[in-house]
Amino acid sequence: MKKNIAFRLCFATAVFIVTTALSAQEATPSPASGKNMTEEQVNDANIQLMRQDIRSERKKVVAANMPLTETEAVKFWPVYDRYIGETIKVNDVRFALLKEYAKNFDASTEEQADSFIKRWLALDQENTQLRLKYVPEFDKVISPKKTAMFFQIDRRVSMLIELQLASQVPLIKP
């Protein structure tokens, strides 16, 4: 029961961060960021900060819901960090694709629309392949049941973030 509450609390925080960051229309540069930054550079910097916040919240959700012994935790977190590092690379490509889409969604050609959806689905496949690659890695440091639990948690958090992101992306115009 306590873990369920912790999961909900941490997850609600992550969703709030995503919603707040994605709904911000204009960003202002901080004094430390330099006065010569373009609006796009400022937005990119803010999105990078948001992504770091989401990763931090995600790790908190995992930590709050994974019943790891001290010995398991010492082995688990380095594997987790490698997994997230590879996930970031896939998400960097997804972010670039979304930026490209945002520039063209009003006047996308048939070819652009076809390319967008195929590349988006390929990124979904990359995420699935990454999970499959890491199942044996996690199995080496925690039990298969705990590995399954981790990937359930990871998948739930990913799906909620994805849903939040998808709700902010306008549908392509036919």
Side-chain angles (χ1 to χ4, degrees):
M1 180 70 171
K2 282 186 178 183
K3 287 185 181 183
N4 192 17
I5 292 169
F7 180 82
R8 286 181 184 177
L9 212 80
C10 288
F11 191 74
T13 303
V15 170
F16 175 76
I17 289 168
V18 172
T19 304
T20 303
L22 289 176
S23 64
Q25 292 299 314
E26 274 190 47
T28 56
S30 66
S33 65
K35 294 178 182 176
N36 296 328
M37 290 181 69
T38 67
E39 184 177 342
E40 183 176 352
Q41 289 171 324
V42 170
N43 287 336
D44 286 351
N46 286 336
I47 288 170
Q48 291 307 325
L49 287 173
M50 175 203 65
R51 290 175 70 196
Q52 288 173 347
D53 287 344
I54 290 169
R55 284 192 293 273
S56 174
E57 289 302 315
R58 182 183 202 136
K59 193 169 189 173
K60 289 177 188 174
V61 168
V62 172
N65 289 281
M66 285 297 297
L68 299 173
T69 66
E70 202 171 307
T71 304
E72 289 172 326
V74 168
K75 295 176 184 176
F76 174 83
W77 291 111
V79 177
Y80 174 87
D81 290 339
R82 284 196 317 272
Y83 168 72
I84 291 300
E86 289 192 47
T87 301
I88 291 168
K89 291 175 187 175
V90 175
N91 289 334
D92 286 346
V93 175
R94 189 178 304 272
F95 174 61
L97 182 58
L98 280 174
K99 282 178 56 175
E100 178 186 325
Y101 174 77
K103 288 179 184 176
N104 300 313
F105 88 94
D106 271 342
S108 291
T109 66
E110 295 292 329
E111 293 78 21
Q112 287 171 321
D114 185 56
S115 172
F116 171 77
I117 196 60
K118 286 178 180 173
R119 290 185 290 159
W120 188 267
L121 293 172
L123 290 168
D124 287 346
Q125 286 180 330
E126 281 187 52
N127 276 333
T128 299
Q129 291 304 314
L130 186 59
R131 286 185 178 106
L132 289 169
K133 172 185 171 183
Y134 271 87
V135 168
E137 295 297 315
F138 282 104
D139 278 346
K140 290 176 187 174
V141 298
I142 56 177
S143 72
K145 279 188 175 183
K146 287 184 180 181
T147 296
M149 178 185 231
F150 164 70
F151 280 108
Q152 285 178 311
I153 294 166
D154 180 68
R155 183 85 168 114
R156 286 179 183 182
V157 172
S158 294
M159 288 170 66
L160 288 166
I161 293 169
E162 183 82 17
L163 177 62
Q164 202 55 245
L165 181 61
S167 72
Q168 300 297 317
V169 176
L171 295 175
I172 199 159
K173 295 180 180 180

